[in-house]
Every structure is written in structure tokens, then in C-alpha cells.
């Protein structure tokens, strides 16, 4: 029996269906820290622990701090206000894109991705897209979000928390995220 995408049966049917759906149109991706972790970029929880240990807090204090559910962005905001965090933020530079970045970039190269929304401020998606020759527009601030052109012929990379390439804007974004998270905590 000859098969095609519609009549596939058995174990290959779910995979064939997924491939058919993926290649039928362009998609949007929402990605967070998990995509950059394999590239060596720290996620919030271990990064926060390293910071708290580095500040000399003992285990009891660290446990209380974590239980208080203080937003990560608030800790970073305080540090950014007290010291030059340029060296600290270098942890997010000098990495190579991980498999997830490269897969999304290859899908974008095939015109299967039109929008990527990320909470990451590293530049690994940009590096992966550039290495595949994908034209893209990066939006990293409220000002750029306000002028968003959904009809752009380029892929849109929307970085909700800003970018490591603009530390001033990153600081403003972190401050706003922290304020929103505290407001949410107060409402509970």
C-alpha cells in the first residue's frame, strides 16, 4: 500500500502529522532560559544562588530569601544600582548558540518561523540567525515594541527583557519587570 502525508498509519502517523503541520505555514516561538542553558548561560535560580553565596549569605539566610519569593530581577536591579555589573553580565557573552538556537534558525531559514519572542537577554538567537543568513529585526524596548511592524518581510525577534547589547535599556527593563512582579506579589 502506497502512503502519503494524509494516509500514513502506524507509528509514523504522529510524526508525519507534526511534520505536515510544521511545514504548512510559518510559526512563532516563545523561548526562555532553557534554550540558552545548554550553551552555558546560567538560568535564574543557580545564578541567584551564586550571587547570594558570593555576597556572603549563610544557608539559613539564603533559604529565607528564596522562600520570600523575591523576584530575580529585583536582585539584579539592586546589584545594578550598587555596582558596575558589566563584568557580571559578561557571563551572558562569548557563548556559542546551542542546538535549540540552531534548530530555530534553520527553520527560520526555510521561512517556517516569522516571530521569536524571548525573555532572554543573551544574543545567541541573533548569532544563530545570522549564521544561517536569516534577515531579522530585533525589538528590545518598549519604544521598539510600540513601532512593531507585523508586516515586516524579516523575521521579528522580540526580546521582552531587553538585550545584553544595550545595558542602559536592560537596566530599565529589569526595573520594570521587578516592579510588576512586586505588584503581583502585593495583590496575592
Amino acid at each position: 500500500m502506497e502512503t502519503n502525508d494524509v494516509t500514513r498509519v502506524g507509528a509514523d502517523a504522529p510524526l508525519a502529522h507534526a511534520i505536515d503541520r510544521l511545514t504548512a505555514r510559518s510559526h512563532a516561538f516563545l523561548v526562555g532560559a532553557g534554550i540558552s542553558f545548554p550553551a552555558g548561560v546560567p538560568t535564574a535560580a543557580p545564578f541567584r544562588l551564586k550571587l547570594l553565596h558570593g555576597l556572603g549569605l549563610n544557608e539559613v539566610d539564603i533559604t529565607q530569601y528564596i522562600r520570600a519569593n523575591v523576584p530575580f530581577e529585583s536582585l539584579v536591579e539592586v546589584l545594578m544600582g550598587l555596582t558596575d555589573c558589566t563584568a557580571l553580565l559578561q557571563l551572558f557573552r562569548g557563548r556559542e548558540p546551542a542546538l535549540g538556537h540552531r534548530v530555530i534558525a534553520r527553520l527560520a531559514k526555510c521561512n517556517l518561523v516569522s516571530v521569536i519572542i524571548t525573555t532572554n537577554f543573551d544574543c545567541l538567537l541573533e548569532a544563530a540567525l545570522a549564521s544561517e543568513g536569516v534577515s531579522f529585526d530585533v525589538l528590545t524596548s518598549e519604544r521598539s515594541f510600540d513601532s512593531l511592524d507585523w508586516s515586516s518581510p524579516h523575521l521579528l525577534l522580540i526580546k521582552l527583557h531587553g538585550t545584553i547589547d544595550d545595558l542602559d535599556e536592560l537596566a530599565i527593563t529589569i526595573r520594570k519587570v521587578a516592579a510588576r512582579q512586586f505588584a503581583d506579589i502585593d495583590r496575592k
Side-chain angles (χ1 to χ4, degrees):
M1 172 175 146
E2 188 174 325
T3 63
N4 61 36
D5 291 342
V6 176
T7 60
R8 285 188 187 143
V9 293
D12 288 341
L15 180 59
H17 177 73
I19 291 169
D20 291 344
R21 297 287 296 182
L22 183 62
T23 57
R25 62 189 191 289
S26 190
H27 299 273
F29 280 84
L30 174 62
V31 298
I35 196 169
S36 295
F37 181 72
V41 174
T43 57
F47 187 62
R48 177 179 55 190
L49 279 176
K50 280 189 175 188
L51 284 173
L52 295 173
H53 281 288
L55 293 170
L57 287 142
N58 63 41
E59 293 303 320
V60 172
D61 292 338
I62 290 172
T63 300
Q64 288 178 336
Y65 181 88
I66 291 170
R67 284 189 182 143
N69 210 19
V70 176
F72 170 73
E73 289 81 4
S74 297
L75 176 61
V76 174
E77 179 188 1
V78 168
L79 289 173
M80 290 177 91
L82 295 175
T83 185
D84 178 9
C85 287
T86 305
L88 180 65
L89 293 172
Q90 294 309 312
L91 290 169
F92 298 92
R93 294 189 188 277
R95 312 286 180 168
E96 294 296 319
L99 178 61
H101 301 107
R102 294 190 311 268
V103 167
I104 291 173
R106 287 183 188 137
L107 290 169
K109 184 177 182 177
C110 297
N111 294 316
L112 297 175
V113 179
S114 57
V115 178
I116 303 169
I117 301 170
T118 182
T119 55
N120 296 356
F121 44 83
D122 62 61
C123 294
L124 296 173
L125 281 165
E126 292 95 313
L129 292 166
S131 73
E132 290 293 331
V134 176
S135 296
F136 59 95
D137 295 327
V138 182
L139 299 100
T140 61
S141 66
E142 284 189 29
R143 192 173 50 261
S144 64
F145 301 154
D146 289 342
S147 63
L148 179 62
D149 179 8
W150 290 105
S151 64
S152 172
H154 303 134
L155 178 140
L156 298 174
L157 176 57
I158 302 170
K159 300 183 79 167
L160 299 175
H161 289 178
T163 178
I164 196 76
D165 283 345
D166 185 348
L167 294 181
D168 291 335
E169 189 63 44
L170 179 61
I172 291 167
T173 303
I174 285 174
R175 200 169 301 121
K176 287 180 180 179
V177 170
R180 269 188 301 235
Q181 288 178 335
F182 272 128
D184 290 345
I185 289 170
D186 287 343
R187 276 184 245 147
K188 289 180 182 177

